[in-house]
Amino acid sequence: MLCKGENGNLKSLGARAMIYYDNGKFQIAENFVSRGYMSSIEPIIHFGMGKIQKIDSLIIRWPSGKIVKINSPKLNSTLKVEEKNSEQLSKDQIYNKLKYVYTKDVTSEILPDIRHHENTYDDFKKEILIPYKLSSLGPCLETADVNGDKNDDFFLGNGSGESPKLYIQTPDGGFNLSKNNPWDKYKSSETIAAHFFDFDNDGDLDLYTATGSNEYEIHSLKYLDHLYINNGSGEFTDASNKITPLNFSKAVVKSADIDSDGDLDLFIGGRQVPGQYGKSERSAILINERGKLIDQTSKYCPDLNGEFGMVSTAQFGDIDNDKDLDLILSGEWMNIKIFIFENGKFEDKSKEFGTEMSSGWWNMIKLEDLDKDGDLDIIAGNLGSNSKFKASKEKPFKVFLKDFDDNGTWDTYLGSYSTDGKIYPVRGKQCSSEQMPFIKDRFKSYNDFASKTIEEILEGKLDGAIQKMAVEFKSGIFINTNNKFEFKPFPIETQIAPINDIQLTDINEDNLIDIIYGGNYYDREVETTRSDAGVGGVILNKGNNEFESLHPSASGIILNGDLRKLSIIKSAEFKILLAANNNSKMQAYLLSN
C-alpha cells in the first residue's frame, strides 16, 4: 500500500493503517522507514494475510488527523491512497467513527487535577532481590453514595504522609473534595484498601479502611485499620476503637453477613510480611457483634490464621448455588482459592472445584455469570505474558525464601527452568552477592556462577527454606461448569501487561456483561523492564464463552498509566469509569450517552 501525503509529508511518514477481517481480528502497521542505525526501507505499508481470503475494511489515519476508510480492499494488490481524498476529523471524531461502543474521555471536565501522591521509599535497600516494590501498591479507589442523593461519590487512598480523600459528586456531575476529614490523623499510614458497608444497620454506608505497604516494621501500629461511621449525610466520625486490632499489612476488605444475624461482617486479606518478600501473612474474619468488629477467624475459617498467603483480592459469592455466600480469594504465589461455607465455617474446596493448580501472581478477581448458565464464573487479572518471568505447569516459576546467609535479613531467590530441565537463578552474580555475600566467596568468576543451578548455589542451605511456585501468568476467566472450573485465557492482546483491576458492565447494550480492564506496574527491580505496555481497554462478551478484545481505537478507552484501580460511578443520568493511577492523575471516561 502506497500512501501519498500532503503539506511536506509526501511519503506519509507516521500514517497508520488498520485492516479488519475474520469477525473482529485486525492488524496495524505504521509508515516509518527507519529500522535501525543508518538503515531504511521503502515507504510502503505491507500486510501479510496468509490464508485469509477477504478483508472487511481498511482504515488509514494520517498524522494530520485526516482519515479514510476503504471497504473490502482487493487482496494481492498495491493500493494507492491519497491524503487529499480523506476526511479531516478531530481525535474524538476519529474514535467515534471507529469504535464499537460509546465512550468519551471526560477527565478534564470532571477530574481537573485529582491525583494520587506516592511517597518515596526504596524497598530494594533492604531486599535487593525482590522482583518489584511492594510499597507502591496503591491507591485504593472505592465508590458509594455516601450522602443519599442518588449520585455515587468516591474515596481515594493515599501514600504515606498524605491524607486519603473523599470526593462528593455535584448535581452537574463534577466532584468536590469533602471537608469532613477524620482520616487525616492517620495519614502517616498508607490506606491500601477501603470498603463502604452498613456497619451499624442504620441504612447508610460506613467506611472501613485497611492499611498496608512495605515500609514499616512488622506489627507496627501504623498497620492498624480504621472504621468511620456515617451520620447519613456523608459526614464521618472515627470509630476505630470498635475494631479488634489487626496490625499486619493488608490488601483487601470485603463484607458479607457471615453469621446470618442480619448485619455485615468482614473479610480482611493480609498481603505481605514487611521486609520479608514471599513470606505468607495471615488474613482475618471480623464478626459484627454488639457494635464491634471481633476477630473470629479461628471459628469461621481457621485456615486463614498463621502463614496463609499473600492475598491481593477477594470476593463473596454463592459459587455452589446453595443460597449462602462463599469466599473466593487469591494473591501472589497463590492459587484461586474456593472457600465453601459449610457447617458454619469456610472450608477450602479448591481441589474439588478444579483450581488447586492455578497458582500465579493474581491481582484481582470478579464474580459474574458471564455465560448465563445460572452459576458464577471467576474473572481474574494476573501478571500477563509480556515479562521475562515465565510459568507453566511443566516448568513453574519458583521462589526460594530463607535467611540463607544467617545474617538476620530475609533473602529472596527467584528461579526459572531452563531447556535442560534444571532451575537457575533469575538474578545475576552481582546483585545475588550483594544480598548474600557468601556467593561472592563461593563463586570467584561470573562464568562459574552462570553455569550453576539454584540447588548448587544454595547447596547446604536449602533445609528449612520456603519454596513457592507459579504455574499460570495469563489473565482470563475460570468458567464454572457444574461446580468445576476450566480456565480460558483472555485474548492475547490483553496479556501484554499485568491486569490490576476489572469492571464488569454491558458496555454495548447487547444484554451480555463485558469486561473493562487496566494495569501496568512501573516499580520493577533494575534488571526487569517495567510493565508499561498496557493501554487497558474493553473485552466484549460475544456469548457462548467467546470474547473479543477491542483495540483502543475501537473502544475509545486508553488506560496507559501505572493503573491500580477501576470503578464505575453512577449518577441519575451518567455512568462513568474512574481509573486511579499510582503517583499520577486519575482518569474518567463517560460510558453512557
Side-chain angles (χ1 to χ4, degrees):
M1 181 167 53
L2 182 63
C3 299
K4 183 178 179 180
E6 297 180 306
N7 300 326
N9 187 18
L10 298 181
K11 294 182 179 181
S12 298
L13 299 180
R16 172 180 290 183
M18 295 164 280
I19 58 171
Y20 294 86
Y21 59 93
D22 197 13
N23 294 321
K25 293 182 180 179
F26 62 90
Q27 292 186 38
I28 300 175
E30 293 185 333
N31 190 28
F32 287 109
V33 298
S34 176
R35 287 295 184 270
Y37 179 65
M38 296 184 70
S39 65
S40 183
I41 62 172
E42 292 182 301
I44 298 174
I45 299 175
H46 176 264
F47 289 103
M49 300 309 300
K51 297 180 179 180
I52 299 298
Q53 297 297 313
K54 182 177 183 296
I55 299 174
D56 298 326
S57 63
L58 163 69
I59 297 172
I60 303 172
R61 188 184 72 190
W62 276 267
S64 65
K66 285 188 175 182
I67 189 170
V68 65
K69 179 177 181 180
I70 302 173
N71 292 314
S72 301
K74 185 179 178 182
L75 285 170
N76 300 317
S77 63
T78 300
L79 299 178
K80 296 182 180 180
V81 187
E82 297 190 28
E83 184 178 3
K84 68 179 182 180
N85 298 325
S86 305
E87 294 181 74
Q88 180 70 54
L89 300 174
S90 68
K91 182 178 178 180
D92 283 344
Q93 287 174 318
I94 291 171
Y95 283 145
N96 287 333
K97 197 173 186 70
L98 299 183
K99 67 191 179 185
Y100 299 175
V101 298
Y102 178 86
T103 63
K104 181 183 178 183
D105 187 342
V106 292
T107 304
S108 60
E109 297 173 36
I110 68 170
L111 304 175
D113 194 23
I114 298 177
R115 62 179 298 138
H116 169 259
H117 296 273
E118 185 65 72
N119 62 297
T120 301
Y121 180 78
D122 185 4
D123 301 53
F124 304 113
K125 189 173 183 179
K126 288 184 178 180
E127 300 176 274
I128 297 169
L129 300 179
I130 59 176
Y132 65 94
K133 288 176 65 173
L134 286 92
S135 63
S136 53
L137 294 172
C140 64
L141 175 66
E142 188 76 359
T143 62
D145 176 10
V146 301
N147 58 0
D149 65 353
K150 310 300 182 184
N151 297 320
D152 284 346
D153 315 296
F154 72 89
F155 181 88
L156 182 68
N158 63 300
S160 178
E162 181 164 322
S163 176
K165 294 176 174 62
L166 175 65
Y167 289 91
I168 305 297
Q169 189 173 168
T170 60
D172 62 357
F175 294 91
N176 288 333
L177 178 63
S178 173
K179 295 180 180 179
N180 175 231
N181 193 12
W183 31 81
D184 184 63
K185 62 182 176 181
Y186 304 119
K187 66 182 181 182
S188 61
S189 299
E190 183 156 338
T191 302
I192 203 70
H195 183 63
F196 286 108
F197 74 118
D198 190 358
F199 165 72
D200 50 10
N201 257 352
D202 64 350
D204 58 35
L205 294 175
D206 310 301
L207 176 64
Y208 187 102
T209 61
T211 59
S213 190
N214 191 39
E215 50 209 279
Y216 309 114
E217 296 300 319
I218 297 173
H219 303 314
S220 167
L221 295 180
K222 291 185 178 180
Y223 290 123
L224 291 175
D225 297 344
H226 305 290
L227 176 67
Y228 305 97
I229 304 299
N230 189 348
N231 69 356
S233 61
E235 298 285 325
F236 292 85
T237 56
D238 186 6
S240 301
N241 60 346
K242 297 180 182 292
I243 309 171
T244 297
L246 300 173
N247 56 332
F248 55 88
S249 184
K250 309 167 193 74
V252 61
V253 184
K254 295 295 177 182
S255 63
D257 185 3
I258 294 171
D259 57 358
S260 301
D261 66 348
D263 56 28
L264 292 175
D265 314 297
L266 296 178
F267 166 78
I268 311 293
R271 179 63 174 83
Q272 59 178 304
V273 178
Q276 297 183 11
Y277 172 83
K279 191 172 184 180
S280 295
E281 182 56 273
R282 69 161 299 196
S283 292
I285 298 288
L286 296 184
I287 299 298
N288 192 341
E289 286 189 355
R290 297 181 297 278
K292 290 190 175 182
L293 292 167
I294 309 298
D295 185 357
Q296 294 194 20
T297 310
S298 297
K299 178 179 178 180
Y300 287 97
C301 193
D303 287 355
L304 300 179
N305 277 322
E307 296 181 1
F308 172 68
M310 298 178 68
V311 176
S312 59
T313 180
Q315 295 286 340
F316 284 104
D318 186 5
I319 285 292
D320 56 358
N321 274 340
D322 65 350
K323 309 303 181 184
D324 59 29
L325 292 179
D326 310 302
L327 176 62
I328 299 85
L329 58 86
S330 195
E332 194 168 345
W333 305 106
M334 295 179 68
N335 65 302
I336 303 293
K337 290 189 173 292
I338 311 293
F339 282 95
I340 299 298
F341 195 73
E342 291 182 346
N343 304 315
K345 65 179 181 179
F346 294 103
E347 297 182 4
D348 190 347
K349 300 291 185 179
S350 303
K351 184 176 183 180
E352 291 85 340
F353 279 79
T355 62
E356 184 181 34
M357 291 299 295
S358 61
S359 57
W361 285 11
W362 301 104
N363 298 312
M364 58 71 52
I365 54 176
K366 295 283 187 181
L367 305 179
E368 181 65 52
D369 183 7
L370 290 179
D371 51 9
K372 292 191 170 184
D373 64 350
D375 53 31
L376 291 174
D377 309 301
I378 302 172
I379 305 95
N382 206 347
L383 174 67
S385 303
N386 189 23
S387 166
K388 74 176 185 181
F389 305 142
K390 306 300 179 185
S392 68
K393 291 180 180 178
E394 296 73 28
K395 294 182 177 181
F397 189 62
K398 300 190 75 173
V399 65
F400 299 80
L401 305 162
K402 184 184 173 182
D403 180 5
F404 292 111
D405 51 2
D406 297 315
N407 67 348
T409 61
W410 190 254
D411 302 315
T412 298
Y413 221 36
L414 298 168
S416 60
Y417 280 90
S418 183
T419 53
D420 63 3
K422 298 178 181 179
I423 190 164
Y424 293 87
V426 170
R427 305 295 298 275
K429 179 176 182 288
Q430 178 64 39
C431 53
S432 297
S433 300
E434 290 176 13
Q435 180 71 32
M436 298 177 286
F438 72 86
I439 290 177
K440 185 176 182 180
D441 299 329
R442 183 175 287 186
F443 305 99
K444 301 300 183 183
S445 71
Y446 286 90
N447 183 63
D448 188 21
F449 175 87
S451 63
K452 296 298 185 291
T453 66
I454 282 185
E455 286 81 0
E456 291 170 323
I457 293 169
L458 300 178
E459 183 179 1
K461 297 178 179 292
L462 282 170
D463 289 345
I466 299 170
Q467 296 188 34
K468 296 184 177 183
M469 68 178 184
V471 301
E472 184 59 78
F473 280 152
K474 293 185 179 71
S475 301
I477 302 167
F478 290 84
I479 299 169
N480 190 347
T481 305
N482 298 321
N483 288 343
K484 203 78 171 179
F485 286 98
E486 179 182 350
F487 182 63
K488 180 173 184 175
F490 286 149
I492 191 171
E493 301 94 326
T494 69
Q495 308 291 351
I496 62 173
I499 291 181
N500 292 330
D501 206 3
I502 279 171
Q503 286 295 309
L504 305 174
T505 185
D506 181 7
I507 195 169
N508 59 348
E509 298 181 350
D510 63 352
N511 295 316
L512 294 171
I513 299 298
D514 308 303
I515 300 165
I516 304 176
Y517 67 94
N520 290 330
Y521 203 91
Y522 290 178
D523 291 331
R524 301 292 185 201
E525 51 84 15
V526 66
E527 293 181 6
T528 300
T529 303
R530 75 181 194 174
S531 300
D532 62 0
V535 294
V538 173
I539 302 172
L540 286 183
N541 185 350
K542 309 296 286 185
N544 299 315
N545 289 316
E546 295 298 325
F547 299 88
E548 175 188 355
S549 176
L550 296 188
H551 186 268
S553 63
S555 72
I557 296 174
I558 301 176
L559 304 170
N560 57 358
D562 198 6
L563 185 140
R564 296 292 183 269
K565 292 294 181 182
L566 293 171
S567 189
I568 292 178
I569 202 162
K570 298 176 183 177
S571 68
E573 299 180 10
F574 302 107
K575 186 166 61 175
I576 295 171
L577 177 74
L578 298 182
N581 301 306
N582 181 266
N583 204 34
S584 185
K585 291 183 178 181
M586 292 184 64
Q587 295 170 264
Y589 285 88
L590 183 65
L591 298 182
S592 56
N593 187 4

